[in-house]
Amino acid sequence: MKKGRFRYLKIFGGILFILLTVLIINHCTKETTAPMDKASLIPLPAKIAPSKGAFRLKRGTVIFVSNNSDEAFRVGDYLSDFLHTATGYQLPVKATNKTKGKKDIFLFLSKNQEELGKEGYVLRVTPEMISITAYQPAGLFYGTQTLRQLLPYEIEKKSVQRVSWLVPAGTITDKPEYAYRGAMLDVARHFFPPEDVKAYIDMLAFFKINMLHLHLSDDQGWRIEIKSWPKLTEIGGSTEVGSGKGGFYTREEYKDLVNYAADRFITIIPEIDMPGHTNAALASYGVLNCDNKPRKLYTGTDVGFSTLCTSKDTVYSFIDDVMRELAAMTPGSWIHIGGDEAHATPMKEYIPFIERTQEMVWAHKKYVIGWDEIANATIDKSTVIQFWDNNKNTLKGVRQGAKVIMSPASRTYLDMQYDSTCNLGLHWSGYVEVDKAYDWDPATLVPGVEKENILGIESPLWTETITNMKDLEYMAFPRLAGHAEIGWTPASERKWDNYKIRLGNFASRFNAMGINFYHSPLIQWNDE
Ligand code: TNX
């Protein structure tokens, strides 16, 4: 009798256990996620309309691509590769000519959606499928970057994660405010090898930045192989600030960088800084100096002491050769000729020098970008002025019909210190905390420089004090994320109070990406 009752109890207990287990499992795998408009997206998309439910990425999910474009296919492959790392799923990429019906993930280039422009996209998520529609391949790519940010932050990790890969349902309709959204890296003061530049390119692409300006020459180093003037890299590339071993990109390495960037819809803009900031060239070839004597290599951090000999024909043959070789390595439309801080070049020589150099760039079928000082010369309206510190120069450019890239040092210079406790960087233009970097409008910063004069914004990272990736990341992030939003999101939609919350929620994503970012005290960081 006692035994029988015990048996009943055992059976009852067993049933209860099973019921509880089912309940718990059910609860844990319930397909919920925060609604789409609560996701912390940077840059903030133009329009987000949330709806009910979520899409779950599974082992069997297929990425379909409308079969009218190789480039769309490449975006599909990129997405599949990216998702593979943290999910462990090998999502197949398949062509389809049907636009209707259920398709898991669907990348679609639509000729009818011209209003999306070169870089816009529509991302639709339902519990059944995800579609990204764009007018051009770049738009598809940016749609995948938004999708990346809608997934749990673990998607950024470098090993397989056991996570329910949910994407909140809704529709995002998005396109950028400015066509030019750039970052500049100074590889002359300290050299950064190709793998570092690639890692930076990956970070830029994540924030929908589309231009990488490489500052390839300065007093301390010449970083690009020029076959017709080999000593530029042999001698000029042999050191850097602090007397390290320097380095340079071979032609092949440089082309590989250009292609790597292009695969992420980023254009590389090469800069050869002239006529000042040229000591590395002047040390490599005596003939570039008026006295024919090669200068000593320089590893300090002063500026404004060097100049090419602007009255010599050899100097112009040199520039022509460099521009020819550089143009051949540059599929993009622009070459940057520097032109800043030429304090050792008298103005009466500087002006004709810039005008002649401008024409030499055109001879190689490229347009010119230069720092704002070049507007003291007569420049064409196709020439672009990069504003960094001088309103008057920039206005001179605008009056000549030139467009402007906004890089105000006091807002966008990534080498400016965050505050007085910062161990890296400089502060000649003041301290640039995360709010100062974010909370401004390119279209109202310089009186007389209006929205229609502005091509976009760029964040320069000068590397006098930056020697490695960890330090580079610390100075760039999170300020660069804010600049990316300024370039992408309309000013009317940008609010610091809203941005700082999204940025705080980005901490676990930065960590998962392995980015060493500055934990600004202005932000409440949600680190995992
Ligand atoms: C000014 S900005 C420079 C660079 C320095 C930088 C340091 C500009 C066009 N020239 O040569 O590296 O300041 O912040």
Side-chain angles (χ1 to χ4, degrees), residues 28 62 148 186 206 238 453 486 502:
C28 290
V62 177
R148 209 173 144 177
D186 169 10
F206 179 64
S238 66
N453 309 123
I486 295 174
R502 282 181 286 125

Side-chain angles (χ1 to χ4, degrees), residues 189 277 340-341 371 388 413 415-416 426 428 462 464:
R189 269 53 176 272
H277 288 280
D340 59 312
E341 298 173 318
W371 297 106
W388 63 283
Y413 269 29
D415 64 319
M416 289 300 119
L426 311 171
W428 64 262
W462 301 100
E464 285 96 331

Side-chain angles (χ1 to χ4, degrees), residues 159-170:
S159 61
V160 176
Q161 307 293 307
R162 296 192 57 71
V163 173
S164 191
W165 301 110
L166 293 174
V167 184

Side-chain angles (χ1 to χ4, degrees), residues 112-392:
N112 308 327
Q113 299 212 250
E114 212 175 330
E115 70 281 0
L116 292 173
K118 206 173 146 241
E119 303 186 303
Y121 65 93
V122 180
L123 170 66
R124 284 191 195 85
V125 183
T126 70
E128 287 75 42
M129 69 176 276
I130 293 177
S131 72
I132 303 174
T133 311
Y135 181 62
Q136 295 284 315
L140 286 184
F141 181 75
Y142 294 130
T144 66
Q145 297 309 307
T146 302
L147 173 59
R148 209 173 144 177
Q149 296 193 9
L150 287 171
L151 280 158
Y153 73 86
E154 291 92 338
I155 199 67
E156 301 300 335
K157 293 206 173 168
K158 294 288 170 283
S159 61
V160 176
Q161 307 293 307
R162 296 192 57 71
V163 173
S164 191
W165 301 110
L166 293 174
V167 184
T171 301
I172 289 178
T173 311
D174 199 14
K175 66 176 179 185
E177 184 75 348
Y178 290 103
Y180 188 112
R181 304 177 304 281
M184 187 212 81
L185 181 60
D186 169 10
V187 293
R189 269 53 176 272
H190 280 103
F191 181 65
F192 286 78
E195 61 270 24
D196 286 350
V197 179
K198 286 183 179 175
Y200 200 40
I201 288 172
D202 283 336
M203 298 173 207
L204 302 180
F206 179 64
F207 289 105
K208 302 186 175 79
I209 288 171
N210 62 0
M211 303 285 166
L212 173 61
H213 162 188
L214 287 178
H215 183 75
L216 290 169
S217 70
D218 213 301
D219 291 319
Q220 299 86 347
W222 184 285
R223 308 299 179 202
I224 180 74
E225 180 184 32
I226 300 293
K227 298 267 189 205
S228 52
W229 295 73
K231 287 199 276 182
L232 288 171
T233 44
E234 221 171 87
I235 297 172
S238 66
T239 192
E240 59 186 7
V241 167
S243 308
K245 69 175 177 31
F248 65 91
Y249 309 120
T250 64
R251 241 193 225 198
E252 290 67 36
E253 285 170 334
Y254 188 79
K255 283 190 201 161
D256 179 52
L257 279 180
V258 166
N259 291 335
Y260 187 88
D263 282 346
R264 287 146 187 81
F265 295 88
I266 291 175
T267 302
I268 294 194
I269 297 170
E271 176 186 353
I272 298 298
D273 202 347
M274 302 175 283
H277 288 280
T278 42
N279 189 75
L282 303 173
S284 308
Y285 288 98
V287 71
L288 300 175
N289 299 283
C290 290
D291 61 7
N292 286 318
K293 291 192 186 119
R295 297 293 178 262
K296 281 205 184 78
L297 287 168
Y298 180 70
T299 59
T301 58
D302 288 347
V303 296
F305 60 87
S306 58
T307 183
L308 291 168
C309 186
T310 58
S311 55
K312 262 188 169 181
D313 283 345
T314 329
V315 165
Y316 296 96
S317 334
F318 161 78
I319 296 173
D320 194 42
D321 289 339
V322 172
M323 291 302 138
R324 177 181 317 104
E325 293 197 31
L326 206 53
M329 290 184 255
T330 302
S333 326
W334 287 297
I335 288 182
H336 200 303
I337 60 165
D340 59 312
E341 298 173 318
H343 308 318
T345 321
M347 199 45 112
K348 65 176 193 316
E349 290 174 25
Y350 176 85
I351 288 173
F353 174 86
I354 294 295
E355 290 164 2
R356 194 160 166 189
T357 304
Q358 177 177 245
E359 290 190 11
M360 296 178 91
V361 173
W362 295 340
H364 300 294
K365 312 238 165 351
K366 299 293 171 192
Y367 294 115
V368 175
I369 306 182
W371 297 106
D372 59 46
E373 289 95 324
I374 71 159
N376 288 296
T378 301
I379 54 166
D380 188 68
K381 58 183 187 320
S382 69
T383 293
V384 175
I385 300 303
Q386 185 161 11
F387 167 70
W388 63 283
D389 198 38
N390 191 309
N391 292 15
K392 269 200 199 134

Side-chain angles (χ1 to χ4, degrees), residues 42 183 199-207 209 414 418 434 461 469-484 499 503 506 510 513-520 525:
I42 301 175
Y200 200 40
I201 288 172
D202 283 336
M203 298 173 207
L204 302 180
F206 179 64
F207 289 105
I209 288 171
L414 300 174
Y418 290 102
V434 178
L461 180 47
M469 276 312 270
K470 285 294 143 217
D471 291 353
L472 180 155
E473 288 165 15
Y474 185 83
M475 296 308 275
F477 295 101
R479 291 183 288 200
L480 186 61
H483 297 152
Y499 175 72
L503 184 59
F506 237 73
F510 278 137
M513 292 171 94
I515 293 180
N516 176 36
F517 67 101
Y518 163 64
H519 282 65
S520 164
W525 298 102

